[in-house]
Amino acid sequence: MADIARRFETNPILRPADVKPSREGLTVECLLNPGAFRFEGRTWLLLRVAERPPQPDGRISTPVLDPLAPGGIAILEYALDDPDVVAKDPRAFQYKGQTLLTTLSHLRLAGSDDGVHFIVNETPTLVGSGKLESFGIEDSRVSEIDGRFYLTYTAVSPSGVAVGMSSTADWKTFVNHGVIIPPSNKDCALFPQKISGDYFCLHRPSNVYIGGSDIWLGGSPDLLHWGDHRCILYTRPGMWDGARIGAGAEPILTERGWLAIYHGADTNSRYCLGAVLLDRDDPSKVLARSLEPIMEPVAPYEQTGFFGNVVFTNGHVLDGDTITLYYGAADEVICGAYLSVQEILETLPD
Ligand code: MAN
């Protein structure tokens, strides 16, 4: 096994029971995939909090944002034996052919003085708004660029899965920039600085007809308008990243180029992490890529949970050579691990 992550001894560091539901009638079902950043001398996680009502016997119910419903949330409920209901995946189900999520996610801050013990805010920090976020917002990356924090997250709605963006300077007031990349797309990680005059991001379109779930590079003059899209990293059939891949948090600039951690899932939806090295001046050039994962779901809390066999990251903080990686385990709990930049680089084939 090639796993080189040193997991926190206190893992999991946050569980659903540590978080207060956003409203009466909902329970926090899972905590997932936090963004991470430093602000005013503290370490912060931007958690994805996934909620739903307690599930009645023989029925499935899910919240959706609806400005016309009381409190802005409508609860959709169906009998599990309804022939129009197909419920096979804990994360999503179909009703009359339309896909619905089993939970509604919002983003919530948790702060820490030591990067290990976190106190979760009592209320949501950012909730979905408008038609394109009515099934919630998920898996936010946080990048500090030119003194402002940019949040890129998955915006889910009946119109599909898209990349939404908000920004803030003080974590109190936010500007919602709307959908910056339309469906089907997610896992958007901004590079923390301009490269040869342009901003760049990694993103992940998914195709249902021709094409796969590969990682693309996009460029932008202003972080809002994206073009010059190129597919730079493909899934590798038969390998640990054979079915789907997607970027983690922002790439890290090293002396050998941009180091990006990414997730890869195989055909059994087992999620591992790997690394890729991109050229410093032209990040469309892939210099090296992990053959084996650098992290695999091996701990019990990674193998069993809401959706087992998952390590998924979209947040880290950096101190010299040390990456403190925050990750969602088994789509249920929040964990942390340390990785060394040098050690990751050494695992990459020449
Ligand atoms: C997808 C996303 C993630 C989730 C993984 C594993 O990539 O929905 O949020 O963690 O699947 O279920």
Side-chain angles (χ1 to χ4, degrees):
M1 194 188 73
D3 192 310
I4 54 166
R6 287 179 291 280
R7 288 159 175 77
F8 289 6
E9 279 167 19
T10 48
N11 276 349
I13 54 171
L14 289 171
R15 303 169 188 269
D18 301 325
V19 178
K20 203 173 154 216
S22 64
R23 67 178 64 207
E24 234 176 274
L26 295 184
T27 50
V28 175
E29 203 64 34
C30 331
L31 297 184
L32 306 94
N33 314 344
F37 62 98
R38 292 243 168 79
F39 179 59
E40 293 180 338
R42 306 185 78 208
T43 303
W44 294 88
L45 298 180
L46 189 59
L47 308 173
R48 168 179 165 199
V49 178
E51 300 177 299
R52 67 176 168 191
Q55 296 296 287
D57 270 351
R59 303 183 71 79
I60 189 164
S61 69
T62 191
V64 296
L65 295 172
D66 178 354
L68 301 177
I73 286 190
I75 307 290
L76 308 180
E77 189 177 317
Y78 310 97
L80 279 168
D81 61 5
D82 182 332
D84 286 325
V85 172
V86 182
K88 291 195 180 127
D89 187 314
R91 302 169 297 180
F93 66 101
Q94 282 78 38
Y95 178 68
K96 291 195 171 168
Q98 198 207 354
T99 298
L100 295 156
L101 301 179
T102 54
T103 56
L104 175 66
S105 293
H106 66 261
L107 305 176
R108 203 183 298 197
L109 285 172
S112 170
D113 291 326
D114 63 3
V116 175
H117 302 90
F118 284 86
I119 306 284
V120 184
N121 281 12
E122 296 268 298
T123 53
T125 304
L126 216 58
V127 296
S129 65
K131 262 173 69 174
L132 298 177
E133 298 177 354
S134 62
F135 290 174
I137 50 177
E138 308 179 346
D139 301 354
S140 183
R141 281 86 180 153
V142 178
S143 284
E144 190 178 353
I145 303 174
D146 307 331
R148 202 170 168 82
F149 293 93
Y150 290 86
L151 285 54
T152 51
Y153 42 79
T154 308
V156 195
S157 76
S159 300
V161 170
V163 179
M165 185 168 80
S166 289
S167 68
T168 183
D170 58 7
W171 290 94
K172 291 191 183 92
T173 52
F174 294 84
V175 176
N176 186 339
H177 301 284
V179 164
I180 56 164
I181 306 181
S184 271
N185 204 303
K186 53 162 64 172
D187 300 325
C188 178
L190 302 173
F191 285 69
Q193 65 192 56
K194 281 186 172 175
I195 304 167
S196 311
D198 279 314
Y199 294 107
F200 285 92
C201 76
L202 300 172
H203 64 91
R204 210 293 295 281
S206 39
N207 302 296
V208 284
Y209 183 43
I210 292 183
S213 294
D214 306 313
I215 295 178
W216 290 56
L217 180 78
S220 171
D222 57 7
L223 294 168
L224 299 174
H225 303 88
W226 293 91
D228 193 19
H229 298 284
R230 283 167 281 174
C231 186
I232 61 165
L233 210 66
Y234 295 85
T235 50
R236 296 179 291 193
M239 289 179 64
W240 58 274
D241 54 0
R244 284 180 300 286
I245 53 176
E250 63 181 26
I252 296 165
L253 189 56
T254 75
E255 78 274 8
R256 284 178 56 193
W258 290 100
L259 178 68
I261 295 175
Y262 72 94
H263 67 262
D266 64 13
T267 46
N268 295 317
S269 284
R270 180 176 186 265
Y271 281 72
C272 297
L273 302 181
V276 61
L277 191 63
L278 308 173
D279 186 87
R280 184 192 182 100
D281 303 313
D282 177 2
S284 71
K285 285 190 190 144
V286 175
L287 306 178
R289 177 177 180 182
S290 299
L291 287 171
E292 298 292 330
I294 57 170
M295 191 169 176
E296 300 185 52
V298 288
Y301 49 81
E302 296 163 352
Q303 291 180 333
T304 310
F306 186 77
F307 189 79
N309 282 320
V310 172
V311 290
F312 187 103
T313 189
N314 47 279
H316 61 236
V317 294
L318 191 66
D319 298 286
D321 178 66
T322 302
I323 301 170
T324 307
L325 183 98
Y326 296 98
Y327 66 101
D331 279 359
E332 187 169 322
V333 292
I334 305 297
C335 295
Y338 302 109
L339 286 151
S340 144
V341 171
Q342 277 314 315
E343 236 177 279
I344 298 175
L345 291 174
E346 280 159 27
T347 64
L348 297 178
D350 291 329

